[in-house]
Amino acid sequence: MAFDIDMIKGVYSKMAENVNKAREVVGKPLTLSEKILYNHLWDSPATRAFQRGKDYVDFAPDRIACQDATAQMALLQFMQAGKSKVAVPTTVHCDHLIQAKEGAAKDLKHANSVSSEVFNFLESVSNKYGIGFWKPGAGIIHQVVLENYAFPGGMMIGTDSHTVNAGGLGMVAIGVGGADAVDVMAGMAWELKFPKLIGVKLTGKLSGWTAPKDVILKVAEILTVKGGTGAIVEYFGPGAIAMSCTGKGTICNMGAEIGATTSTFGYDDSMDRYLRATDRADVADAANKVKAHLTADPEVYANPEDYFDQVIEINLSELGPLLNGPFTPDLSTEVGADMTKKANENDWPIKVEWGLIGSCTNSSYEDLSRASSIAQQALDKGLKMKAELGINPGSEQVRYTAERDGILGIFENLDAKIFTNACGPCIGQWARYSDPKNAPKNSIVHSFNRNFAKRADGNPNTHAFVASPELTAALAVAGRLDFNPLKDKLINEDGQEVMFDEPTGWELPPKGFAVDDNGYLAPEADGSHVKVSVKEDSERLQLLTPFQPLGSTITGAKLLIKAFGKCTTDHISMAGPWLRFRGHLDNIANNTLIGAVNAFNQKTNFVKNQLTGDYGGVPDTARAYKAAGVKSIVVGDHNYGEGSSREHAAMQPRHLGVAAVIVKSFARIHETNLKKQGMLGLTFANESDYDLIQEDDTFNFLDLNEFAPDKQLTLEIVHSDASKDVIKLNHTYNDAQIAWYKEGSALNLIKKQNA
């Protein structure tokens, strides 16, 4: 039986009334996304139609999921909220703090040793506040959620940008910062700007070497890394219906890489099959009773241009396998000759040193089975691996079942390394090099979602390419980036020319799923007696001190850094070895913006301290300004804060005295995180004003005392020669968000309201 079945039935029980009322107020047929959104209004049923991309709306999510790296800060904040128990079903999943190095058993043992303090903290807090806890080794959060918690028509939020994976089961699942999660844990509404809608019509059918991964790689090419910002992507059409549930999850998962609020699919037979296979027949039965409300109205898919803000059509029968990268997930290349040409033109290393299969994007039973069909062919055809191969199963249930069915054994016969059921290399938890900064130039191929510089192994010279699991396996066997498995032959150990046959696999395990211990710990019904302690001298955990309001007068602020080009959350707050400090704000603040490129010297972590004239690291300079009572400003380019949902990328600058982040445009989650921490997240009214910012600039806000919705702010820039520029800045703050700013943070306001 499913977790929280009564909650799920409750969502379905009100759906007909809320959807019918929404259709009435909107005045036209509804998309699936709109049905779910209107069914989850904080004040339902709807009394008016909301304007896409403009209206801020309060929602009531059904559940919350947190991974261990972000859960630390989220739960440290929740502990300050004055509540005895979470208000909605919540889970914590320990998947980020396990480093891949020697293999599953040794790596898990090592993680349990070095991170025991953090795991014990998360387990005790979960037990105290009624939160379900998934132990280290239980699996990757999004695969575990898909197997246990996701349900058609539901709404969930999670403290990880790839929460969107649950769209594969027809949810509206959205990645948020920890402060957003705290609001909902505390029983408050969750605010979101009503999304725009992008429809993707899939015709034809996947076959041969083309996989669901290739669909989202193609969409990323079309929309780019910011083309989905502020929008829900809804997939439909015969190609969508013919696809497996976990394949749908793969597509939704990488929607984070185009900036989409989330992605989703309408309920169909593949979801019914998956629910029943994962022991949730009760959810499938309940969903089937409201089936008409779990997909768009027929008129929408018949004439999508009338109902979506943008429509894309992809013929799956014409789509071939793709490789996206390096360094960005939207640079798409067809396998074979196109890759040869691009690699030669751009000096990409042709030799593939590693193939990596897994992550929250592609670690299902189906993914492993299709990749193993390629591995089995390599064994049968006498081929030796030219690259190394690593496997991260998505959950203990997937791992156990795959081992039982001989799938993992096939990989092991090729000397592949089976890592823990955890994120591993995908999140930078990969002990590949002893000195990654000085490691050699090389290429790797993986079935992950992100391939930013230094993302997987800390090596800025690693060229990472994103592909399907089956293509990753084939390229690992061939050892070449430009190998085309559809056409190219390989020489086996006997000197014979051989070719791969098309990959095959199982949508679901023929013998059903099985597991001995799935790694779940239920909380006590009454956790009031549970003690949660944090040592004062801990390097890993630190109780929070409330931020002080920045006030209505900010003058004399100094430029901390003007970031050049792409500045993701990995640049602002790196993962990898820094994950160990995710529960200690002051310690992790020492990585703040160390990956951002200084526009004035094209160096990282090397900025001018205007108080001394010396150059130093960004965190050191920020601390010097803070010690002197001087606020600082960060300036950035387009899509600033792209990538992960980690709120550390907002909390760390706030902790170090940054008052405002001024950019050409923001990624959605990061902009919200800045607001939640009581900071100013602003955009240039004229993008060219970015060019006015000079290295020795001082900033004065001229009308911050008049901070109000839909009203520009005026900034005076004082240059070192005493000349001045006065510019206008835009913002998207509403009255509630301005209240966060005035109180110093959203958490401060929650505490005040609960006092």
Side-chain angles (χ1 to χ4, degrees):
M1 189 180 79
F3 288 93
D4 310 307
I5 186 62
D6 291 337
M7 177 270 286
I8 294 170
K9 289 180 177 179
V11 172
Y12 290 160
S13 69
K14 63 181 183 178
M15 200 158 193
E17 177 188 359
N18 286 344
V19 168
N20 289 334
K21 184 63 178 178
R23 195 182 290 113
E24 177 185 321
V25 299
V26 172
K28 60 180 180 179
L30 299 177
T31 65
L32 167 65
S33 305
E34 289 172 309
K35 290 181 180 182
I36 298 174
L37 292 170
Y38 278 104
N39 191 43
H40 286 84
L41 296 178
W42 183 257
D43 295 314
S44 63
T47 56
R48 69 182 182 94
F50 295 106
Q51 189 171 341
R52 299 175 190 170
K54 184 174 182 179
D55 289 336
Y56 280 95
V57 182
D58 285 340
F59 292 101
D62 301 314
R63 66 176 313 110
I64 300 166
C66 309
Q67 42 95 334
D68 49 353
T70 54
Q72 296 170 65
M73 197 58 69
L75 294 180
L76 284 165
Q77 292 178 87
F78 180 73
M79 290 169 63
Q80 305 295 315
K83 296 289 185 178
S84 61
K85 195 170 186 178
V86 292
V88 302
T90 303
T91 53
V92 167
H93 305 256
C94 296
D95 62 353
H96 277 54
L97 299 179
I98 305 169
Q99 189 177 51
K101 184 178 182 181
E102 298 183 70
K106 291 183 178 179
D107 292 346
L108 182 57
K109 182 179 180 180
H110 179 71
N112 278 320
S113 173
V114 300
S115 294
S116 59
E117 180 184 9
V118 172
F119 294 147
N120 291 338
F121 167 76
L122 293 174
E123 183 179 339
S124 63
V125 174
S126 297
N127 203 16
K128 183 175 183 65
Y129 293 107
I131 298 169
F133 182 74
W134 291 81
K135 297 183 293 186
I140 304 171
I141 175 173
H142 310 303
Q143 179 65 28
V144 172
V145 165
L146 197 70
E147 292 176 11
N148 294 278
Y149 298 112
F151 66 97
M155 173 184 273
M156 69 175 290
I157 59 173
T159 60
D160 188 286
S161 57
H162 292 103
T163 300
V164 295
N165 188 80
L169 253 175
M171 293 194 87
V172 163
I174 301 175
V176 299
D180 273 353
V182 169
D183 284 355
V184 180
M185 288 181 197
M188 301 175 67
W190 173 61
E191 183 188 68
L192 176 73
K193 185 183 289 186
F194 204 85
K196 294 183 178 180
L197 300 176
I198 298 174
V200 180
K201 183 177 182 179
L202 302 179
T203 62
K205 188 175 181 179
L206 294 172
S207 63
W209 284 91
T210 310
K213 186 62 162 273
D214 297 303
V215 178
I216 186 57
L217 296 181
K218 185 65 177 179
V219 171
E221 176 190 16
I222 295 169
L223 289 177
T224 76
V225 292
K226 61 181 180 180
T229 302
I232 293 179
V233 182
E234 185 171 324
Y235 291 85
F236 62 95
I241 294 171
M243 199 178 295
S244 70
C245 178
T246 52
K248 292 177 172 73
T250 290
I251 292 171
C252 293
N253 182 290
M254 270 196 71
E257 275 55 69
I258 58 171
T261 300
T262 192
S263 304
T264 195
F265 285 77
Y267 180 64
D268 59 26
D269 289 345
S270 72
M271 298 183 192
D272 180 283
R273 292 192 298 271
Y274 188 76
L275 285 168
R276 296 183 190 281
T278 51
D279 197 27
R280 290 176 287 170
D282 44 357
V283 177
D285 292 340
N288 287 330
K289 293 177 182 178
V290 292
K291 197 170 185 177
H293 302 308
L294 300 177
T295 190
D297 290 332
E299 300 91 333
V300 172
Y301 293 161
N303 299 287
E305 291 81 4
D306 296 338
Y307 302 97
F308 292 99
D309 298 290
Q310 181 180 355
V311 177
I312 297 167
E313 184 168 337
I314 299 174
N315 185 342
L316 302 184
S317 300
E318 298 175 356
L319 183 66
L322 300 172
L323 275 167
N324 280 29
F327 306 129
T328 185
D330 58 354
L331 178 58
S332 190
T333 305
E334 292 187 11
V335 297
D338 284 355
M339 176 54 73
T340 304
K341 183 174 183 291
K342 282 188 181 179
N344 289 333
E345 289 174 350
N346 295 282
D347 195 27
W348 298 339
I350 289 292
K351 180 183 177 183
V352 174
E353 295 196 359
W354 269 88
L356 296 160
I357 295 170
S359 86
C360 60
T361 322
N362 281 108
S363 57
S364 67
Y365 184 90
E366 180 182 31
D367 291 324
L368 296 185
S369 70
R370 285 180 63 84
S372 73
S373 77
I374 302 303
Q376 184 63 59
Q377 287 187 58
L379 294 168
D380 295 342
K381 295 174 187 287
L383 294 168
K384 285 284 189 181
M385 293 284 299
K386 296 292 180 61
E388 296 189 72
L389 183 63
I391 310 291
N392 282 85
S395 69
E396 176 57 16
Q397 178 168 265
V398 166
R399 188 212 63 79
Y400 186 96
T401 307
E403 182 177 58
R404 178 201 67 188
D405 294 348
I407 289 174
L408 296 188
I410 294 170
F411 290 124
E412 289 172 328
N413 288 338
L414 273 177
D415 295 325
K417 191 163 286 187
I418 310 299
F419 293 125
T420 315
N421 314 319
C423 302
C426 183
I427 191 62
Q429 285 282 55
W430 188 20
R432 184 183 179 193
Y433 298 111
S434 59
D435 183 14
K437 291 182 180 179
N438 296 304
K441 185 175 180 178
N442 73 103
S443 287
I444 65 173
V445 179
H446 60 58
S447 69
F448 306 163
N449 39 50
R450 293 195 175 131
N451 56 351
F452 304 142
K454 300 189 280 188
R455 169 78 178 189
D457 58 11
N459 178 6
N461 298 310
T462 292
H463 294 55
F465 295 84
V466 184
S468 68
E470 47 266 57
L471 183 58
T472 298
L475 295 182
V477 174
R480 289 184 61 84
L481 201 60
D482 57 354
F483 174 69
N484 182 354
L486 287 77
K487 298 179 180 180
D488 296 345
K489 297 178 180 179
L490 295 171
I491 306 297
N492 69 9
E493 291 180 287
D494 298 324
Q496 300 169 325
E497 288 187 338
V498 296
M499 282 187 67
F500 283 118
D501 301 318
E502 292 178 351
T504 58
W506 293 273
E507 175 185 352
L508 295 163
K511 299 178 185 177
F513 283 109
V515 67
D516 273 349
D517 177 8
N518 64 5
Y520 175 71
L521 294 177
E524 295 188 33
D526 180 4
S528 58
H529 67 283
V530 177
K531 302 295 182 184
V532 179
S533 63
V534 175
K535 295 183 294 184
E536 287 190 15
D537 62 347
S538 172
E539 293 185 347
R540 301 288 299 270
L541 297 164
Q542 179 188 48
L543 296 176
L544 295 176
T545 301
F547 289 131
Q548 295 301 307
L550 292 168
S552 60
T553 303
I554 297 178
T555 59
K558 300 295 185 182
L559 179 69
L560 177 59
I561 186 172
K562 178 180 177 180
F564 175 80
K566 186 185 283 283
C567 191
T568 72
T569 49
D570 276 11
H571 295 89
I572 305 168
S573 175
M574 290 182 178
W578 289 95
L579 285 172
R580 66 185 185 275
F581 296 129
R582 283 282 180 87
H584 196 294
L585 182 56
D586 193 56
N587 282 349
I588 198 170
N590 289 323
N591 81 359
T592 305
L593 286 156
I594 64 175
V597 176
N598 182 355
F600 299 107
N601 55 26
Q602 299 299 303
K603 295 181 179 180
T604 58
N605 202 28
F606 198 67
V607 296
K608 187 174 184 179
N609 180 335
Q610 293 186 46
L611 303 180
T612 65
D614 298 329
Y615 283 82
V618 180
D620 294 335
T621 305
R623 289 184 189 276
Y625 288 147
K626 182 180 179 180
V630 175
K631 294 181 174 65
S632 55
I633 305 291
V634 171
V635 172
D637 210 316
H638 276 298
N639 210 28
Y640 183 89
E642 168 193 345
S644 154
S645 69
R646 68 193 68 149
E647 64 186 335
H648 300 75
M651 294 185 77
Q652 292 170 217
R654 177 75 158 100
H655 175 68
L656 295 182
V658 174
V661 179
I662 306 170
V663 300
K664 294 180 182 178
S665 65
F666 283 108
R668 175 190 63 85
I669 299 176
H670 187 65
E671 182 182 20
T672 300
N673 286 344
L674 292 171
K675 293 178 179 180
K676 286 279 184 178
Q677 301 307 328
M679 299 174 70
L680 294 172
L682 310 169
T683 56
F684 293 105
N686 296 305
E687 289 184 4
S688 59
D689 288 345
Y690 170 91
D691 299 322
L692 296 176
I693 308 300
Q694 299 175 22
E695 192 171 29
D696 292 305
D697 283 348
T698 300
F699 303 92
N700 302 312
F701 285 86
L702 302 183
D703 51 7
L704 190 55
N705 60 319
E706 300 172 10
F707 193 14
D710 301 317
K711 184 180 186 298
Q712 291 179 321
L713 291 174
T714 308
L715 180 70
E716 180 183 66
I717 309 168
V718 182
H719 305 300
S720 58
D721 63 359
S723 64
K724 299 178 181 179
D725 284 298
V726 177
I727 65 173
K728 293 292 185 179
L729 301 172
N730 294 333
H731 67 83
T732 60
Y733 288 74
N734 58 26
D735 286 324
Q737 294 166 345
I738 290 173
W740 301 341
Y741 175 80
K742 291 181 177 179
E743 290 294 334
S745 72
L747 181 60
N748 287 354
L749 187 60
I750 291 175
K751 288 182 67 175
K752 185 177 182 179
Q753 292 169 340
N754 288 331

